[in-house]
Amino acid sequence: MQNPVIILGAQELGIAALDTFQSNDVVVYCFLDDKVALQQQEVNEITVMGNTEDENFLKLIGKKCDVFVAAEDMAARKSLVNMLKEDYKVVPVNGIHRFSYVSEHAWLGHGNLVQAGAIVNPNAKVGDSCVIGARALVDSNAVIEDHVQLGAGAIINAGVTVAEGAFIGTGAVIVSGVKIGKNARVGAGAVVVADVAAKQTVFGNPAKAV
């Protein structure tokens, strides 16, 4: 049985992580969040016991508890993951919803959130600290690098590469073989038929830069 989990972040992403762990009957010990208004409050019946620098709780990680990083901001997620690695010698666990499908022939790194109905097909590769939204598809031989976020219902077709830090909006479709550059953004509902450069933002069908 998995250890209880401390979730760093008690807002939208943290609530999704809570639902994911609870779907597998994993106990969530507490939230930690830097938003003062949330501290000592209950979020979906789980208490926000302090901030993300509270050593009273962080010292439990790797001993009595596992950890998941659910900060809303990507830079904050990266910073927290680095702190956990350097100061506590631990990496966040994966949160894989009971009603998702991840092939035993897929490869996942650490600290990923795979929400309800999402599919990760054989020979797909997902890096660290990615968010795969509800009903999103990562097809065979697709590569999702670190810190990528896929919105609900996004379709990453076979052979696609999504580089580190990219954001793919709700319902977007990335056609087979396309490369999405580092920190690029793809708007909701876009159909991407050509490569997207690093830091570029695209919208529409077919998707065009804005």
Side-chain angles (χ1 to χ4, degrees):
M1 184 174 178
Q2 185 173 323
N3 289 331
V5 175
I6 295 174
I7 299 177
L8 307 188
Q11 300 175 56
E12 183 177 343
L13 194 58
I15 292 169
L18 172 63
D19 178 68
T20 295
F21 286 112
Q22 290 182 335
S23 78
N24 293 293
D25 297 323
V26 174
V27 173
V28 173
Y29 182 79
C30 70
F31 287 112
L32 300 177
D33 196 287
D34 294 333
K35 188 174 182 180
V36 174
L38 287 175
Q39 291 168 15
Q40 306 310 315
Q41 303 298 313
E42 285 194 353
V43 176
N44 290 14
E45 301 181 348
I46 303 298
T47 303
V48 183
M49 291 188 174
N51 63 40
T52 59
E53 297 179 353
D54 193 328
E55 292 187 3
N56 290 322
F57 298 103
L58 294 178
K59 68 184 181 182
L60 301 175
I61 295 169
K63 299 174 183 176
K64 297 181 178 180
C65 292
D66 291 323
V67 65
F68 185 85
V69 176
E72 300 295 316
D73 177 72
M74 185 200 308
R77 289 206 299 272
K78 286 183 178 180
S79 177
L80 287 169
V81 169
N82 288 337
M83 176 270 292
L84 291 167
K85 289 179 179 177
E86 292 173 8
D87 296 349
Y88 296 92
K89 312 304 179 189
V90 297
V91 293
V93 294
N94 287 319
I96 301 174
H97 200 283
R98 177 183 176 188
F99 296 117
S100 65
Y101 170 76
V102 177
S103 169
E104 64 180 14
H105 299 293
W107 187 91
L108 266 67
H110 301 286
N112 297 296
L113 181 63
V114 182
Q115 293 181 255
I119 296 172
V120 181
N121 273 336
N123 299 326
K125 182 176 181 180
V126 178
D128 296 336
S129 300
C130 295
V131 177
I132 301 177
R135 303 181 310 282
L137 167 67
V138 180
D139 210 350
S140 301
N141 297 308
V143 176
I144 309 297
E145 296 184 358
D146 298 345
H147 308 292
V148 166
Q149 185 160 339
L150 307 181
I155 298 176
I156 310 300
N157 278 294
V160 167
T161 298
V162 182
E164 179 181 349
F167 174 86
I168 311 297
T170 299
V173 177
I174 315 299
V175 173
S176 294
V178 164
K179 293 179 172 58
I180 306 296
K182 185 175 181 178
N183 296 324
R185 298 181 66 83
V186 175
V191 178
V192 182
V193 298
D195 292 355
V196 177
K199 299 183 179 180
Q200 192 172 55
T201 298
V202 299
F203 284 93
N205 180 8
K208 295 181 180 179
V210 295

